[in-house]
Amino acid sequence: MIACLLFLGTKQKDGKYKHTVDLPKTTFDLRANSVMREPELQKLWEENQVLKRVSERNTGATFTLHDGPPYANGDLHMGHALNKVLKDIINRYKLLQNHKVSFIPGWDCHGLPIELKVLKSMDKATSDALTPIKLRQKAAKFAKATVNAQMNSFKRIGIWADWDNPYLTLSPEYEAAQLEVFGQMVMRGYIYRGRKPVHWSPSSRTALAEAELEYSENHVSKSIYAAFKITSPSNSGLLDEFLPNVCLAIWTTTPWTIPANAVVAVNPELSYAVVELQSLLESESTSGGKQRKLGSILSSGNEKPFIIVASDLVSVLESKWGVKLVIRKSFPGSVLEYCRYLHPVNGNECSVVIGGDYITTESGTGLVHTAPGHGQEDYLTGLKYGLPIVSPVDDEGNFTAEAGQFSGLSVLGAGNAAVVKYLDEHVSLILEEPYKHKYPYDWRSKEPTIFRATEQWFASVDGFRDAALDAIKRVTWVPSQGENRIVNMISGRSDWCISRQRTWGVPIPVFYHVDTQEPLITEKTIEHIKGIVSEKGSDAWWYMPTEELLPEKYRDKASEYRKGTDTMDVWFDSGSSWAAVSAKRDGLNFPADVYLEGSDQHRGWFQSSLLTSIATTGKAPYSSVITHGFVLDEEGFKMSKSVGNVVDPEKVIVGGKNSKEEPPYGADVLRLWVSSVDYTGDVLIGSQILRQMSDMYRKLRGTMRFLLANLHDWKPENSVPYSDLPKIDQYALFQLENVVASMKDGYDNYQFYKIYQTLQRFAIVGLSNFYFDVAKDRLYVGGRVSYTRKSCQTVLAAHLLYLVRAIAPIMPHLAEDIWQNLPFQHTLEDGSVAKFAFDL
């Protein structure tokens, strides 16, 4: 007890026993003072180029963790912090393992969010007057400013990277590498132009890729059951007894697509029935309300037609419609093929066709209203039967003149309602009701999307799908279920729409003949444009004349061509990073050793990188892929500014305005939290969790202070050989050896939470409760040269040297602070204890 009080600062009095007591001494403070100390250490690292020098000194193999680019359009959030700290832990550990490590940070700088932020920063008159090149200049300025802000935030978290040489997707050398990937895919026949339905965002006025969608589980559509009147049966005599009053019943959640209806599809394997509509069920005849509306067909004054539906759905529809349905005739779906019906809007005759196995009896009627311009299955069915691809909807999501009386109306608003009203007035509506279901939204504008056929550029995934699936098997996925997830996505995905109708991006380098609209895109044209872009950047596409953008071979015909205005999908931008960075820069591996991002990147960056790499090199761009979950609040809810549960990484580090409610914990406490969670799933953070981390950090710092203070006069040459150590010291080193093995396993398998747990059990609890208590008397009493003190210090030195190394990847500021307070740090080369401690 007296020794502990003296350790805390009580002055000892002179006396004749002074030489027999050796009290701990250290300049290492128990308080971290991280707000001041961490920036000092970061400045030291930066000025001395520590990452570069350590990497160059190492003699092991090169290790490349390729950075997935965060989007340059806002401040960092806790997901960014989790991601970059995980990467930094891995890189620092690999450095300690004697690897050569060069970490190139990157940023995704093109795309709609940045373009919209620029446009929203000015009034409408100013934005309308913007030329494409002016808009691009403002977008580039905004992106670069955001990159600088995010870079400074990452540095404050203690991330080691080549900050002087990041990769930006807007840099000329990057854009040129991207065009090279595009060109190689063109030459291999993987790029084509076609008119087919794609996800279209009316709010952003551009096509979207699957990775740019968010699916709302709470979307409510205006669903309808409608009847299309049959004009002639396909099989003579099959429906004669019901003519001319027999109809096909369809169900749709997008009534606005009915004007584009081309056919009705059936499943030949299903059984269908002609049913007679008899009296309304009592519960329905007396029920009303705004949510559910019976159509004119079911009104009491109108003659009830015969309706064709799937036999298995008769009872379900009877309950749904509130009408007694009596089966009058049954037959297989195949006999309905080429049956003719009257289009409910334009009056044209259309056919019944055979669809695919997407037609089921799980919902609807078993007959599918098909508009090839507004759905993927519809499109494929249309190709099979040579149907026209009608899509009477403009870029803003309004009906065009082709939609007749609905022209100018929003398909997601008034136009949808107008179609339903029209069907009801013309005795084609059976039932209207709200339908809650999963629906795609534009991930940027948070507004619903539509399927719309437009002329777009596509990458034909079918051309290299099998090669991609084969490559996936040779990649290590952490966690392992990531493999199944990306296999399912690659297996079931359609061709990749890579064109966007926006200004801020890398141009698709194609010219169109002004008369025929035929595209001109050859190896020579792409190579010529790539050379211009590598020198001047992609802005050149907008300000240089067509004559200069065309290679010499075509210049005499320049007046016959115009430049295309489409830009590339930003996922093609970031998906080309392997070509612009890993495969181009010195000191990096291709394929990269590791990609590490959030689990949502299976449908984003992991996938786009895989597809571009397979298409052009035949191999995956990564050897291992690690994924982490999302960061949620302490209650497990998604963070939201409106809810007020956002945890800001900057405030965690430097504190908020109210230091009691938002104390400054420092970067190491934040990093310690990252190491404590099983990041393969969603992780939680909040004030209580941060207090626990701070307490753990403080205890660990106290442990290190005890070790340092009791080694103030120790030298490696004073170490006692293992065989001469007392049993208790040998046991302590045996325990340390187990800790070494456990921590190494945690680092090697990227299971950092196991390292945290080991630190908690061993460094905080085990050492203090067992060895430190035993060691105190041996350290403080008996004189500085006593054998028991030497053996005890030997054990403490081994623990200190290992622990400072073990925590360095996770808490580098603490490790650096300890190292600077190590009294024997310059005499380690030949020390046997040092050799033991550093042998991971």
Side-chain angles (χ1 to χ4, degrees), residues 33 49 90 146 223 314 330-331 435 456 554 557 579 765 821:
N33 191 22
Q49 296 183 300
I90 294 171
T146 304
S223 76
V314 171
S330 298
F331 41 82
Y435 180 70
Q456 301 289 344
Y554 299 98
K557 297 182 179 179
V765 178
N821 282 277

Side-chain angles (χ1 to χ4, degrees), residues 664-678:
Y665 288 113
D668 273 5
V669 170
L670 178 64
R671 296 173 66 103
L672 184 62
W673 164 75
V674 172
S675 76
S676 73
V677 298
D678 181 359

Side-chain angles (χ1 to χ4, degrees), residues 91-104:
N91 281 330
R92 287 175 181 267
Y93 174 68
K94 292 297 181 180
L95 279 171
L96 289 175
Q97 290 289 86
N98 197 36
H99 287 277
K100 292 184 179 296
V101 176
S102 181
F103 183 58
I104 311 297

Side-chain angles (χ1 to χ4, degrees), residues 28 30 672 691-706 759-760 763-765 768 772 814:
F28 183 76
L30 191 60
L672 184 62
R691 282 195 294 271
Q692 292 171 354
M693 292 300 112
S694 179
D695 186 52
M696 166 72 171
Y697 174 83
R698 190 167 52 252
K699 289 177 179 178
L700 184 59
R701 193 175 179 92
T703 297
M704 294 302 192
R705 186 168 186 260
F706 180 90
L759 282 172
Q760 195 173 38
I764 306 302
V765 178
S768 297
F772 285 178
L814 175 58

